[in-house]
Amino acid sequence: MANENNNDEENRAGTINDASLREDNENVTNARSRAPSRAKSRGSISDQRKTVTRTGSRLSSATESVHPNDKHHELPTSRATSEEAFSSETNGGYDTDLEIEEQREQYDASGRNIYKEACRINGVIPVSYFLRNITETELTMMHHGLGPAGTRAIAIALVGNTTIVKLNLSDNWLAPEGAVAIADMLKENCYITDLDLSDNKLGNPGAVAIASTLLQNSNLTHVTLNGNDFQDKCADAFAEVMLNNNKIEFLSLSSNNFGEAAGLAFGPAVAENITIRHLDLSWNNIRGKGAVTLAEGVGGNIGLRKVNLSWNGFGNEGSVALGKGLSTNNTLEELDITNNRITAEGAVMLGKGLAVIDSLKVLKVGDNPMQTAGCYAILKSVRENPNSAMGEIDFGHIQVNKDFEDLLKETQEAMPKLKVKHGGTKEPVKPKPKMNPMAKLQRYIQVNNLRLVDFFNKFDKDGSMSVNYEEFEEGLLETGIDLDRGEVDWLIKELDKDGDGDIMYSEIFSDVSKGT
């Protein structure tokens, strides 16, 4: 009986082993016949996450049919290996409806997330205005107090920005460090075309950084760098930009500290540049030889349409150079030389160029000490130019006289579209009527509450009741009455009726007492 039980057990184990072997063979056959697995996609589940739960399969049925506590019914090691192979083969490298898709991170084209992270790294608070307008074409962030750190964060966010084309960060105290950050950004950003960094205390180091970028950037067309305390030390850097950058059309370096050396550097560069249409160098200290060289450069330029040189110190020397330059220039349309210490003599020299140039439409020469004579000379030169295109002349705060008004009327008859502004017509000064010398005597006596005899005694030292001319003059001098030589002579002639050379008390009494 025991033998029969043993045989039953062996038969049962053999049956299980046969089932296991048949299942292993089927797995191998399926693995061979299956098409090669395609590459794992981004959404595929990693090997660590792969699981298979197939209840009711032959493998699971066979496993469940064996009692877990029966040592005689343990599955062979090869069977466990077969199960792992089955799990891997049946699920490896395939996307199915049962897979859990990984959450994919979407690309932030606006740069908001980059900006927030840059703010965290630089230790600054994100500017909400920047976040709201980062997708606009024009970003104006004036007076936000960004400082160098805030500027670095914005620069990082703008490296990959593709929407902003006009950037205004004026008055944010960028300092040289901020200028370097913006310069580095502009080397990568190819969409910004208009840049304004005015009033940011960039200094000479910041100027060099920006100028270096302008030599590489081929997208910027408008650059405004006013009020940044640039000095002659960085003039060569900007001169290099004028010589080699062929994209900038508008360049403003107004309200800096450029002096004579800067004028010497800018002059030849301006003469060679062919792309800048509007150049603003106003409110600097360019004078002397620098003014002359710059004026010659403007005259030799063939691309400039508008030049602002106001509030410098060109003087008559610079005016002579400007006059010569204008006589050879045929492209300049607007010239502003307001407040440049140009006298009437300088205006005459400037007029020589105005008598020739046929392209200039606007001339601003106000606040110069040229007076009426200088205004007259300039207007006359324009009047005598048969090809003049002049439409506006500004003589602001300079008074003119009737002769100028007559010339203006004549000029506007020939040039009806010409508009002229000046400081008003100077009225002829009428001399104040002089007070009668006799009235001065009468007034002196009244103010000092004197009797006429007391007044005469000041002159009559010997009590003779008569004084000669010399004594009379000495007496008048002692009283302090304001009388010039002519008035004294008039009084003597008026009081000495008989012309005997002495003035009698009775003669003074008869005349002075009439008004006392």
Side-chain angles (χ1 to χ4, degrees):
M1 190 66 179
N3 290 336
E4 289 178 0
N5 291 335
N6 291 335
N7 289 335
D8 291 340
E9 292 291 336
E10 290 175 358
N11 290 336
R12 190 180 295 111
T15 301
I16 293 175
N17 289 336
D18 290 341
S20 176
L21 291 173
R22 283 196 302 272
E23 189 172 357
D24 291 342
N25 290 335
E26 288 176 2
N27 290 338
V28 173
T29 303
N30 291 336
R32 289 177 179 175
S33 62
R34 187 183 298 117
S37 297
R38 58 188 174 87
K40 295 181 181 179
S41 66
R42 184 178 177 181
S44 300
I45 301 176
S46 62
D47 294 339
Q48 290 78 0
R49 299 174 59 192
K50 293 178 182 176
T51 59
V52 176
T53 55
R54 294 181 182 272
T55 58
S57 67
R58 290 193 300 271
L59 181 59
S60 61
S61 299
T63 305
E64 291 171 357
S65 64
V66 180
H67 195 280
N69 296 326
D70 194 344
K71 297 180 179 179
H72 298 286
H73 295 160
E74 278 186 345
L75 292 178
T77 304
S78 61
R79 186 170 179 178
T81 305
S82 173
E83 184 178 356
E84 292 176 2
F86 175 80
S87 175
S88 178
E89 290 294 336
T90 55
N91 210 38
Y94 283 89
D95 294 332
T96 70
D97 294 338
L98 300 177
E99 294 184 39
I100 301 174
E101 287 289 333
E102 293 182 359
Q103 186 176 0
R104 299 184 182 183
E105 182 181 354
Q106 295 184 351
Y107 175 68
D108 179 21
S110 68
R112 289 188 176 93
N113 293 335
I114 297 176
Y115 174 62
K116 292 177 181 178
E117 179 63 15
C119 287
R120 185 188 67 80
I121 294 173
N122 286 277
V124 294
I125 299 174
V127 181
S128 59
Y129 180 87
F130 180 75
L131 291 171
R132 291 196 306 268
N133 293 275
I134 194 172
T135 57
E136 301 294 330
T137 58
E138 181 176 345
L139 178 64
T140 301
M141 290 188 65
M142 302 170 61
H143 325 302
H144 276 72
L146 296 176
T151 305
R152 281 195 296 269
I154 286 180
I156 292 172
L158 292 179
V159 168
N161 185 279
T162 61
T163 58
I164 297 174
V165 296
K166 186 174 181 179
L167 178 63
N168 185 344
L169 297 178
S170 58
D171 191 24
N172 276 290
W173 208 274
L174 270 59
E177 296 84 355
V180 172
I182 294 297
D184 290 341
M185 177 272 293
L186 292 173
K187 293 177 182 178
E188 302 294 335
N189 185 295
C190 57
Y191 291 90
I192 297 175
T193 60
D194 191 319
L195 177 68
D196 189 343
L197 298 179
S198 299
D199 302 314
N200 274 301
K201 304 297 180 183
L202 303 184
N204 293 329
V208 173
I210 295 296
S212 176
T213 295
L214 293 179
L215 291 174
Q216 304 176 40
N217 187 290
S218 59
N219 302 292
L220 284 169
T221 59
H222 291 67
V223 180
T224 305
L225 300 169
N226 302 338
N228 278 299
D229 197 25
F230 297 154
Q231 299 174 351
D232 290 344
K233 293 180 180 179
C234 62
D236 288 336
F238 286 112
E240 193 72 16
V241 172
M242 296 177 192
L243 283 171
N244 296 289
N245 184 294
N246 59 358
K247 289 292 183 178
I248 296 178
E249 298 177 5
F250 174 91
L251 178 61
S252 180
L253 298 172
S254 175
S255 302
N256 284 291
N257 290 320
F258 290 124
E260 184 173 352
L264 294 172
F266 291 158
V270 170
E272 295 295 327
N273 184 280
I274 60 174
T275 59
I276 296 178
R277 296 292 179 265
H278 183 175
L279 177 63
D280 189 349
L281 293 173
S282 61
W283 289 91
N284 280 286
N285 301 308
I286 303 174
R287 57 193 63 183
K289 294 181 179 180
V292 173
T293 304
L294 181 56
E296 292 172 349
V298 171
N301 183 280
I302 61 174
L304 281 170
R305 299 293 182 270
K306 184 176 180 179
V307 177
N308 189 347
L309 302 174
S310 62
W311 295 86
N312 277 282
F314 273 51
N316 292 342
E317 191 176 6
S319 300
V320 173
L322 274 174
K324 292 180 180 178
L326 293 179
S327 64
T328 59
N329 186 292
N330 57 6
T331 58
L332 188 63
E333 296 179 355
E334 181 173 337
L335 176 63
D336 188 346
I337 48 176
T338 301
N339 202 318
N340 264 284
R341 305 178 184 177
I342 301 173
T343 66
E345 181 183 354
V348 172
M349 303 307 296
L350 182 65
K352 292 183 177 181
L354 297 173
V356 179
I357 189 171
D358 57 5
S359 62
L360 195 64
K361 298 178 181 179
V362 178
L363 175 64
K364 298 180 180 181
V365 291
D367 292 299
N368 280 293
M370 59 179 62
Q371 301 181 340
T372 300
C375 297
Y376 188 94
I378 288 176
L379 183 61
K380 183 179 179 182
S381 297
V382 173
R383 173 70 179 86
E384 293 175 350
N385 185 348
N387 300 317
S388 177
M390 192 70 71
E392 178 184 346
I393 305 178
D394 187 351
F395 295 111
H397 301 126
I398 304 178
Q399 285 190 328
V400 296
N401 58 16
K402 186 176 182 302
D403 292 339
F404 177 89
E405 289 287 352
D406 293 341
L407 177 62
L408 176 58
K409 184 178 180 179
E410 177 186 338
T411 304
Q412 289 179 327
E413 290 177 356
M415 304 172 65
K417 296 182 179 181
L418 177 64
K419 297 179 180 180
V420 177
K421 176 184 177 182
H422 55 72
T425 303
K426 183 185 297 184
E427 297 181 359
V429 179
K430 297 180 179 180
K432 294 181 179 180
K434 290 185 177 182
M435 183 181 293
N436 187 293
M438 192 66 71
K440 290 183 178 183
L441 285 180
Q442 294 170 349
R443 182 178 180 183
Y444 177 83
I445 293 173
Q446 291 175 354
V447 169
N448 290 276
N449 195 24
L450 296 174
R451 296 182 302 169
L452 185 57
V453 65
D454 296 330
F455 173 75
F456 188 79
N457 288 334
K458 291 179 178 289
F459 304 86
D460 186 16
K461 303 297 183 182
D462 57 4
S464 62
M465 301 301 290
S466 67
V467 293
N468 56 32
Y469 294 168
E470 184 177 352
E471 290 175 331
F472 184 73
E473 291 181 17
E474 291 178 357
L476 290 175
L477 185 61
E478 290 179 3
T479 61
I481 301 175
D482 184 18
L483 296 170
D484 58 28
R485 179 72 256 178
E487 291 173 323
V488 172
D489 292 342
W490 184 88
L491 279 175
I492 291 174
K493 183 178 180 181
E494 187 70 16
L495 294 175
D496 187 14
K497 300 292 185 182
D498 55 9
D500 61 357
D502 291 326
I503 299 174
M504 306 297 292
Y505 171 77
S506 58
E507 294 174 328
I508 293 181
F509 181 81
S510 61
D511 288 328
V512 176
S513 62
K514 293 179 182 178
T516 59

